[in-house]
């Protein structure tokens, strides 16, 4: 494998490690506040209760928003670097970007799409909360819509991205 | 699924002394609240367990704990018939004094920063004449009755994680006073809530409005302040 | 138990208690003289302990031009069966409108309004005019919340979670200060003060079924007693007729508000009979608290109670929606125990609610000890033999305010004094004794035993024989409390605090029982089956009790001064 590809894989590994590390920090701080340590049965029990309890979804949307935000940013940094190889040598650029067509990388890209979708749609929801003065229930419905759109668009887009690898 | 009535409830309590008993089997009776669980433990199993309460009818706001992770008043939280186990922890984001008792000082520090008392406007010598269905009162009345129990603070992902943030309770109080036509400190208060640790630090988690035992809507108060800050008032 | 060296804190005014009376006192003392150093000592959280916080109903004040303090005064005396100290009652009714105005314009409270924007006043039992000011059914939260906020403006020194142990005198017998135990650290401080204001609240928690907050263990009254002050009307302990029955739950005793009966709720015994027909056929359920409580108690005692040991209140005939709309807080409270006020009957029982008796004060809250003021439920006389609903929070705030005004004056005149260190040492030693013992009675058992004996022996209906038996049991308990043992450290030890509470409760309980024994008639809240009639010839007198120099409780009685109103008619 060419050195430049190894370098990119190392960079991507660093990005993924950073995301996992950041997620751990977010969840650890969550553990100190109301949401974190109850991912187990207690967490499910809370979701099972009717009504306002489901406001807990907002808390997890907040954590997810931060984690996806960090992930997108970190990948963007790497991506700027890998694209700028074109300035050094188009051949090097082509060599490196051959990786993007591989199956594992396509799966990664599909994940990236889901992260971008969630972060964008959820960000629009947060704007809407202020603009439309959305209360807890309206905001929760909007969040469900965000989640649904993320899943639907993510699945469709993901299929388009991943399909060539198996064609 | 048939409801099975449990003879005992297993209570797990976060203790601050190393080695203190943390799990208790409490015989249940009907009706039973989380406060009753704690009193039964104190009376029958462990005299040293520390928790706070006063009125036991949801008015003093001193018995707030996290029940299965969720901030609630121990006195008004029932232990439902089908509950087998309960986990009790002190409120989040406040230093623990002992076991379930926290030091509310950080909460009050934030509260004090919004000038929480009425600054009477000149000439307010007798009770103001304000119609109960006026715009002003319709805005304020649903946000009164805060018992400063701290449940919203504990449940706020920003306050409870130790960030500088006025927090849902203090901001609700600020909103009430900003909307009150008897008050003369509107501009100062709007400035205070507009700083970097004010309304902008809210992350729309809605933990506050979801847990308030009095059914107040601090998240709504924060949104109102966000609008008023730009427009100069209600 | 070894005790750490204690800190001495010097202050001008020491306010013991942070309920309505305590914080009103701070507000007034600071307004009268902003340079005063004021210290608030609160056994629980400042502004969030005690019962002012729990007020649902409201605050009586003659505000309407058609109403007058005279009418309010007459209602208060009639309600109190003319046992009231008329100077105090007159002060209450005259100051109440001023305090309402002050709460609105200074403290920032906002009470419910009429459609025209002026303060709305609702009817309450036993009153000839609609004069009860309120904020929904959470009036206490509005008042205490706003008074608490004032503390951020005034900045008194707050000793939170600090228990006042004893009044400490100097070597010549003058008041020097208060010994204070920090509940969190277990450290003792001597609070030297020019003026001490006691505003700790009553002791109704000493009954099995009781309404008040946990802090209310008669600490102030017990401190007064131990300091040699005389107490009056100690037998007058009000039972609210409709306390919730929730089995072993701590919710038992929580009040279902008076407004239910006002709105037409029925009271029935287990046989389904509206038993008030036999006790007060004219007013039925709307009769006064003392009559309705007694009727319920007798029904239960005579075996016509429900299995839970109560009677039933039923307002469901008004319709689910109507009940939910008018009494949301009460409906919620009953649903919490698995009953439902809107849909059917709920078991209730009389519940110990308010202590009319207490320290003897003048209209400026002064006692016979120079520099010691007493305000609120710790003081006796204002309500006579029975308190009207809505006069309680009025009393706390009116007399709290007066105590503050007076304290500011006295603080300028009185010097700080050097405490008698022997007395201080004894106070501390007594407090720490339970921690030093390896074995002995459990404080929770003693509390439970006291609650039982008071309920059975000195409850809603009394007689000489049971009162004497109760007195003996209380003496036994007082012996046992001297051997109480509590494990653990001094820091945040609530079992220890319970031991200190029950000691105070026992002191007060003894005064209640002795007073009840000596009043050989029935009047207001005090009903004796061996003397069932009110006897105005012999007993238009108030009972006074106090410890003599040997520590024995002595009782006597003095005629009520009828300086403003003679006995109008036997109502």
């Amino acid at each position: 494998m060419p050195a430049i590809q190894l370098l990119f894989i190392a960079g991507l590994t660093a990005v993924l490690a950073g995301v996992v590390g950041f997620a751990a920090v977010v969840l650890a701080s969550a553990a100190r506040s109301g949401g974190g340590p109850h991912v187990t049965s207690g967490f499910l029990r809370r979701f099972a209760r009717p009504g306002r309890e489901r406001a807990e979804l907002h808390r997890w949307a907040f954590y997810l928003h931060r984690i996806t935000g960090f992930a997108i940013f970190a990948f963007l940094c790497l991506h700027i670097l890998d694209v700028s190889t074109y300035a050094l040598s188009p051949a090097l650029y082509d060599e490196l970007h051959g990786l993007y067509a591989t199956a594992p990388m396509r799966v990664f890209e599909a994940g990236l799409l889901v992260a971008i979708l969630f972060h964008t749609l959820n960000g629009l929801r947060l704007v809407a909360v202020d603009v439309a003065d959305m209360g807890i229930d309206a905001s929760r419905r909007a969040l469900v819509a965000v989640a649904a759109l993320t899943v639907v668009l993510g699945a469709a887009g993901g299929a388009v991205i991943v399909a060539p690898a198996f064609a | 699924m048939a409801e099975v009535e449990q003879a005992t409830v297993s209570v797990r309590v976060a203790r601050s002394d190393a080695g203190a008993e943390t799990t208790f089997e409490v015989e249940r009776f009907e009706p039973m609240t989380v406060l009753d669980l704690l009193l039964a433990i104190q009376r029958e199993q462990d005299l040293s367990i520390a928790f706070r309460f006063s009125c036991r009818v949801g008015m003093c706001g001193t018995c707030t704990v996290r029940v299965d992770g969720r901030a609630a008043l121990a006195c008004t939280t029932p232990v439902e018939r089908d509950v087998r186990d309960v986990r009790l922890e002190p409120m989040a984001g406040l230093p623990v004094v002992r076991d379930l008792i926290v030091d509310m000082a950080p909460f009050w520090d934030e509260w004090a920063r919004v000038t929480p008392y009425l600054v009477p406007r000149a000439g307010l010598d007798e009770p103001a004449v304000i119609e109960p269905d006026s715009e002003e009162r319709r805005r304020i009345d649903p946000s009164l009755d805060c018992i400063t129990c701290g449940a919203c603070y504990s449940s706020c992902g920003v306050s409870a994680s130790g960030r500088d943030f006025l927090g849902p309770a203090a901001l609700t109080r600020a909103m009430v006073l900003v909307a009150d036509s008897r008050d003369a400190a509107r501009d100062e208060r709007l400035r205070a809530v507009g700083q970097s640790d004010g309304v902008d630090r809210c992350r729309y988690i809605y933990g506050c409005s979801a847990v308030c035992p009095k059914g107040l809507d601090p998240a709504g108060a924060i949104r109102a302040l966000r609008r008023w800050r730009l427009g100069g008032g209600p | 138990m070894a005790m750490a060296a204690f800190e001495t804190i010097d202050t001008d005014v020491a306010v013991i208690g942070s309920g309505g009376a305590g914080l009103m006192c701070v507000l007034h003392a600071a307004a009268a003289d902003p340079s005063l150093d004021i210290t608030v000592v609160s056994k629980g959280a400042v502004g969030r302990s005690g019962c002012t916080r729990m007020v649902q109903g409201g605050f009586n004040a003659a505000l309407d031009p058609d109403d007058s303090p005279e009418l309010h005064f007459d209602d208060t005396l009639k309600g109190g069966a003319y046992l009231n100290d008329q100077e105090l009652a007159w002060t209450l009714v005259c100051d109440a409108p001023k305090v309402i105005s002050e709460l609105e314009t200074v403290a920032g409270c906002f009470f419910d309004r009429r459609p025209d924007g002026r303060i709305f006043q609702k009817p309450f039992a036993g009153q000839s005019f609609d004069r009860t000011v309120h904020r929904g059914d959470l009036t206490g939260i509005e008042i205490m919340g706003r008074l608490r906020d004032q503390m951020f403006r005034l900045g008194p020194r707050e000793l939170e979670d600090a228990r006042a142990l004893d009044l400490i005198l100097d070597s010549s017998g003058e008041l020097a200060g208060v010994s204070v135990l920090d509940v969190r650290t277990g450290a003792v401080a001597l609070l030297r003060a020019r003026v001490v204001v006691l505003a700790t609240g009553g002791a109704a928690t000493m009954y099995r079924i009781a309404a008040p907050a946990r802090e209310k263990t008669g600490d102030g009254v017990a401190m007064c007693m131990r300091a040699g002050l005389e107490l009056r009307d100690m037998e007058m302990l009000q039972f609210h007729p409709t306390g919730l029955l929730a089995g072993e739950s701590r919710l038992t005793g929580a009040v279902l508000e008076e407004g239910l009966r006002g709105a037409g709720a029925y009271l029935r015994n287990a046989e389904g009979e509206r038993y008030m027909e036999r006790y007060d056929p004219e007013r039925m359920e709307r009769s006064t608290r003392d009559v309705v409580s007694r009727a319920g108690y007798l029904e239960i005692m005579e075996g016509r109670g429900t299995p839970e040991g109560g009677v039933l209140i039923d307002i469901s005939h008004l319709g689910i929606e109507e009940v939910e709309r008018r009494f949301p807080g009460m409906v919620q409270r009953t649903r919490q125990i698995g009953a439902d006020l809107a849909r059917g009957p709920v078991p209730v029982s009389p519940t110990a609610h308010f202590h009319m008796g207490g320290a003897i004060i003048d209209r400026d809250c002064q006692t016979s000890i120079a520099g010691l003021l007493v305000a609120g439920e710790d003081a006796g006389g204002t309500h006579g033999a029975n308190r009207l609903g809505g006069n309680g929070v009025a009393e706390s705030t009116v007399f709290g305010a007066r105590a503050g005004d007076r304290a500011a004056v006295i603080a300028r005149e009185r010097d700080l004094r050097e405490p008698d260190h022997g007395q201080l040492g004894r106070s501390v030693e007594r407090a720490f004794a339970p921690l030093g013992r390896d074995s002995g009675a459990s404080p929770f058992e003693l509390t439970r035993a006291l609650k039982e004996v008071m309920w059975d022996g000195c409850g809603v209906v009394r007689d000489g024989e049971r009162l004497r038996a109760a007195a003996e049991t209380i003496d036994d308990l007082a012996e046992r409390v001297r051997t109480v043992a509590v494990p653990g450290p001094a820091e945040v030890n609530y079992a220890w605090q319970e031991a200190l509470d029950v000691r105070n409760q026992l002191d007060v309980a003894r005064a209640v029982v002795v007073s009840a024994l000596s009043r050989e008639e029935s009047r207001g809240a005090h009903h004796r089956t061996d003397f069932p009639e009110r006897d105005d010839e012999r007993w238009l007198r108030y009972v006074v009790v106090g410890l003599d120099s040997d520590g024995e409780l002595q009782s006597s009685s003095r005629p009520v001064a009828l300086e403003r109103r003679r006995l109008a008619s036997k109502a």
Side-chain angles (χ1 to χ4, degrees):
Chain A
M1 188 177 275
I4 190 69
Q5 289 193 352
L6 283 175
L7 201 61
F8 178 81
I9 289 168
L12 192 61
T13 310
V15 165
L16 287 172
V19 171
V20 171
F22 183 80
V25 169
V26 167
L27 293 178
S29 92
R32 287 199 301 274
S33 63
H38 309 290
V39 192
T40 55
S41 60
F43 177 74
L44 294 175
R45 198 154 71 202
R46 289 161 79 187
F47 272 96
R49 285 186 212 147
R52 300 186 121 193
E53 290 276 350
R54 291 186 190 137
E56 278 297 299
L57 285 174
H58 289 109
R59 188 187 305 282
W60 290 90
F62 165 63
Y63 299 146
L64 207 55
H65 195 78
R66 293 183 73 188
I67 294 167
T68 53
F70 180 86
I72 294 164
F73 174 75
F75 177 75
L76 198 60
C77 292
L78 179 71
H79 196 50
I80 288 170
L81 287 177
D82 76 52
V83 172
S84 53
T85 53
Y86 194 82
L88 297 175
S89 147
L92 195 66
Y93 174 90
D94 287 339
E95 197 173 28
L96 195 163
H97 282 83
L99 272 180
Y100 276 80
T102 60
M105 194 59 198
R106 281 177 185 274
V107 172
F108 171 80
E109 284 163 45
L112 184 67
L113 173 71
V114 171
I116 291 173
L117 277 171
F118 177 80
H119 197 80
T120 309
L121 294 169
N122 193 48
L124 289 171
R125 177 185 66 91
L126 295 179
V127 172
V129 165
D130 259 341
V131 173
D133 192 23
M134 279 158 54
I136 192 166
D137 292 325
S139 174
R140 194 181 62 229
R141 282 193 292 274
L143 184 55
V144 171
V146 165
L149 272 175
T150 304
V151 169
V152 170
L153 296 179
V160 171
I161 293 170
V162 174
F166 299 97
Chain B
M1 197 170 71
E3 263 193 15
V4 184
E5 202 162 315
Q6 304 298 323
T8 63
V9 187
S10 165
V11 188
R12 205 155 91 214
V13 185
R15 305 294 298 269
S16 49
D17 293 354
E21 196 68 47
T22 56
T23 308
F24 303 92
E25 290 291 321
V26 181
E27 265 182 57
R28 66 165 310 137
F29 47 78
E30 278 300 319
M32 190 174 212
T33 65
V34 169
L35 177 63
D36 291 323
L37 286 177
L38 288 167
L39 287 166
I41 293 171
Q42 183 183 51
R43 203 171 47 234
E44 288 151 21
Q45 303 191 37
D46 188 344
L47 285 176
S48 72
I49 187 170
F51 57 93
R52 194 193 265 291
F53 78 99
S54 169
C55 76
R56 58 83 166 90
V57 288
M59 293 177 99
C60 74
T62 62
C63 65
T64 323
V65 292
R66 277 186 294 163
V67 182
D68 293 330
R70 182 182 196 265
L73 298 180
C75 68
T76 57
T77 306
V79 181
E80 306 286 357
R81 282 166 202 265
D82 57 344
V83 167
R84 278 164 200 283
D85 50 89
V86 176
R87 171 164 46 190
L88 302 178
E89 291 155 300
M91 270 193 278
L94 296 165
V96 174
V97 173
R98 185 152 176 223
D99 296 347
L100 298 176
I101 299 180
V102 295
D103 181 2
M104 290 284 281
F107 173 90
W108 290 115
D109 288 347
E110 304 298 348
W111 184 269
R113 283 170 59 211
V114 299
T115 321
Y117 46 86
L118 183 81
V119 178
R121 63 170 161 73
L124 186 68
D125 302 324
E126 51 186 64
V129 177
I130 300 171
E131 290 171 15
D133 53 0
S134 61
E135 180 78 27
E136 173 188 344
R137 291 320 300 184
R138 269 184 289 148
R139 206 172 274 135
I140 293 175
D141 286 347
S143 292
L144 289 177
D145 303 336
C146 171
I147 56 173
T148 54
C149 66
C152 56
Y153 187 99
S154 171
S155 203
C156 170
V158 184
S159 289
S161 60
R163 303 286 299 279
D164 288 334
F165 180 38
L166 287 169
L171 287 169
T172 303
R173 181 75 192 128
M175 187 282 282
V176 162
L177 285 163
V178 166
D180 196 330
S181 62
R182 302 175 298 164
D183 185 77
R186 169 182 298 180
D187 294 344
E188 294 159 39
R189 251 183 232 107
L190 281 176
R191 264 197 303 280
V193 304
Q195 306 200 329
S196 64
D197 57 359
V199 285
D200 291 326
R201 190 144 281 179
C202 170
R203 292 290 181 266
Y204 312 87
I205 296 172
Y206 292 92
C208 51
S209 299
V211 299
C212 178
K214 289 283 154 191
L216 310 190
D217 182 13
I222 291 172
R223 289 197 304 279
L225 282 174
R226 271 210 239 257
R227 289 194 303 277
W228 297 348
R229 178 187 42 156
L230 302 176
Chain C
M1 182 88 197
M3 196 196 65
F6 53 81
E7 187 189 1
T8 300
I9 303 169
D10 288 346
T11 190
D12 295 323
V13 181
V15 181
I16 316 299
S18 70
L23 295 193
M24 240 358 231
C25 173
V26 175
L27 185 62
H28 268 244
D33 182 352
S35 68
L36 283 181
D37 182 286
I38 302 170
T39 304
V40 184
V41 179
S42 176
K43 193 163 80 173
V46 172
R48 303 194 296 153
S49 319
C51 284
T52 309
R53 187 99 190 167
M54 295 167 71
V55 169
Q56 301 164 341
F59 187 127
N60 296 340
L63 302 178
D64 196 284
D66 294 333
D67 194 4
S68 70
E70 281 82 4
L71 287 173
H72 187 185
F73 183 63
D74 285 337
D75 289 341
T76 302
L77 290 195
K78 203 170 153 198
Y82 291 90
L83 193 63
N84 317 57
D85 178 323
Q86 297 199 354
E87 271 311 302
L88 296 183
W90 182 247
T91 306
L92 174 80
V93 301
C94 290
D95 280 11
K98 283 186 266 181
V99 168
I100 285 289
S101 176
E102 189 185 349
L103 284 172
E104 279 253 349
T105 60
V106 177
C109 296
F110 190 87
F111 298 109
D112 284 2
R113 292 299 202 263
R114 303 190 304 219
D116 69 357
R118 296 184 185 280
I119 291 178
F120 173 76
Q121 294 183 279
K122 68 176 176 182
F124 236 37
Q127 301 199 51
S128 54
F129 203 91
D130 298 352
R131 66 167 73 91
T132 306
V133 177
H134 67 114
R135 143 113 195 115
D137 58 0
L138 299 174
T139 311
I141 291 175
E142 177 71 357
I143 293 174
M144 286 315 297
R146 301 300 72 84
L147 286 176
R148 175 80 184 102
D149 288 340
Q150 287 297 308
M151 297 306 114
F152 292 103
R153 179 168 70 85
L154 302 170
R157 181 186 296 107
E158 289 175 5
L159 303 183
E160 189 166 84
D161 293 327
R163 165 193 294 274
L165 294 171
D166 285 291
L167 295 167
I168 304 293
L169 309 179
D170 71 0
S171 50
S172 62
E174 290 274 322
L175 181 68
V178 188
S179 51
V180 176
L181 171 67
D182 185 328
V183 175
R184 289 194 195 177
T185 63
V188 176
L190 169 68
L191 189 57
R192 286 208 306 166
R194 295 172 205 275
V195 189
V196 174
V197 183
L198 288 179
T200 65
T205 51
M206 65 170 85
Y207 285 83
R208 184 173 78 215
I209 301 175
R214 66 123 36 137
E215 289 85 11
K216 308 247 298 191
T217 51
D219 300 343
V221 172
M223 284 164 74
C224 286
M225 234 174 117
R226 293 197 289 263
L229 277 187
E230 289 179 326
L231 312 170
R232 64 170 286 174
D233 300 335
M234 291 299 282
E235 72 281 19
M236 296 303 178
L237 202 136
Q238 182 175 70
F239 289 81
H240 195 289
T242 52
L244 208 53
L245 275 181
E248 286 185 63
S249 173
R250 184 81 185 192
L251 269 171
T252 290
V255 166
L256 288 185
E257 73 156 300
E258 190 138 318
L260 295 173
R261 287 182 292 123
Y266 299 146
L267 288 170
R268 290 203 170 89
N269 58 24
E271 292 158 13
E273 178 200 9
R274 277 180 75 188
Y275 57 84
M276 285 308 296
E277 272 166 13
R278 281 184 277 114
Y279 299 89
D280 189 345
E282 205 168 307
R283 294 184 291 180
M284 295 292 287
E285 284 87 354
R286 295 186 203 201
S287 187
T288 51
R289 281 181 185 175
D290 48 349
V291 177
V292 184
S293 289
R294 198 147 53 237
Y297 183 85
L298 289 172
E299 289 299 306
I300 297 164
M301 285 298 152
E302 286 164 17
R304 290 189 291 274
T306 64
E308 300 95 340
V311 290
L312 296 165
I313 188 166
D314 188 357
I315 194 169
S316 56
H317 53 273
L318 294 192
I320 294 171
E321 268 176 41
E322 177 74 358
V323 178
E324 282 179 346
R325 188 182 63 76
R326 286 174 68 178
F327 304 102
M330 296 301 107
V331 171
Q332 197 193 0
R333 200 170 273 189
T334 55
R335 283 182 187 160
Q336 221 184 305
I337 65 159
D340 191 340
L341 193 62
R343 290 184 168 79
V346 175
V348 293
S349 154
T351 178
H353 183 230
F354 183 88
H355 204 170
M356 275 75 73
I360 297 177
I361 58 168
D362 69 7
R363 50 180 301 166
D364 287 316
C365 303
Q366 298 179 111
T367 62
S368 58
I369 296 179
L372 178 66
L373 308 182
V374 178
E377 202 179 342
D378 301 33
T382 308
H383 307 294
N386 182 39
R387 172 170 77 73
L388 292 184
N391 268 358
V393 62
E395 181 201 20
S396 323
T397 49
V398 160
F399 286 97
R402 294 187 76 90
D405 292 337
R406 188 67 206 153
V409 174
I410 302 175
R412 280 194 287 273
E413 297 162 356
R414 254 186 121 242
D415 291 328
L416 287 172
R417 283 152 207 275
E418 197 47 41
D420 174 349
H421 280 266
Q423 195 203 348
L424 181 58
R426 282 191 297 280
S427 160
V428 175
E429 199 179 310
R430 226 157 54 107
F432 275 77
L435 284 181
R437 295 191 191 100
D438 293 330
S439 64
S442 148
F444 295 101
E445 277 170 34
L446 291 180
T447 305
R448 205 168 243 205
L450 174 65
K451 281 168 173 274
E452 292 297 330
V453 67
M454 288 305 283
W455 185 259
D456 294 336
C458 192
V460 185
V461 174
R462 305 155 177 184
D463 64 57
E465 199 178 320
R466 281 188 299 157
L467 283 169
R468 275 184 288 275
E472 273 177 36
T473 311
I474 287 169
D475 284 343
D476 286 349
L477 290 174
E479 277 303 315
R480 287 177 65 198
V481 86
R482 281 188 204 109
T483 68
V484 72
V486 177
E491 294 91 5
V492 213
N493 187 334
Y494 277 92
W496 180 28
Q497 299 307 317
E498 181 87 6
L500 298 175
D501 283 337
V502 72
R503 192 184 74 181
N504 284 339
Q505 285 174 307
L506 278 165
D507 283 346
V508 178
R510 196 201 314 239
V512 172
V513 172
V514 166
S515 302
L517 258 175
S518 67
R519 180 173 286 281
E520 297 186 329
E521 64 146 2
S522 291
R523 180 182 300 268
H526 174 73
H527 187 89
R528 286 190 53 168
T529 50
D530 43 356
F531 299 96
E533 298 300 320
R534 175 166 147 181
D535 182 353
D536 284 327
E537 294 293 310
R538 285 181 57 219
W539 276 108
L540 214 52
R541 305 169 70 83
Y542 58 95
V543 174
V544 175
V545 295
L547 293 176
D548 63 16
S549 50
D550 299 327
E552 293 297 317
L553 200 58
Q554 302 297 339
S555 78
S556 58
S557 70
R558 292 171 200 160
V560 175
L562 301 171
E563 66 252 276
R564 286 185 185 273
R565 291 283 190 285
R566 308 229 135 257
L567 197 52
S569 64
K570 198 171 158 179

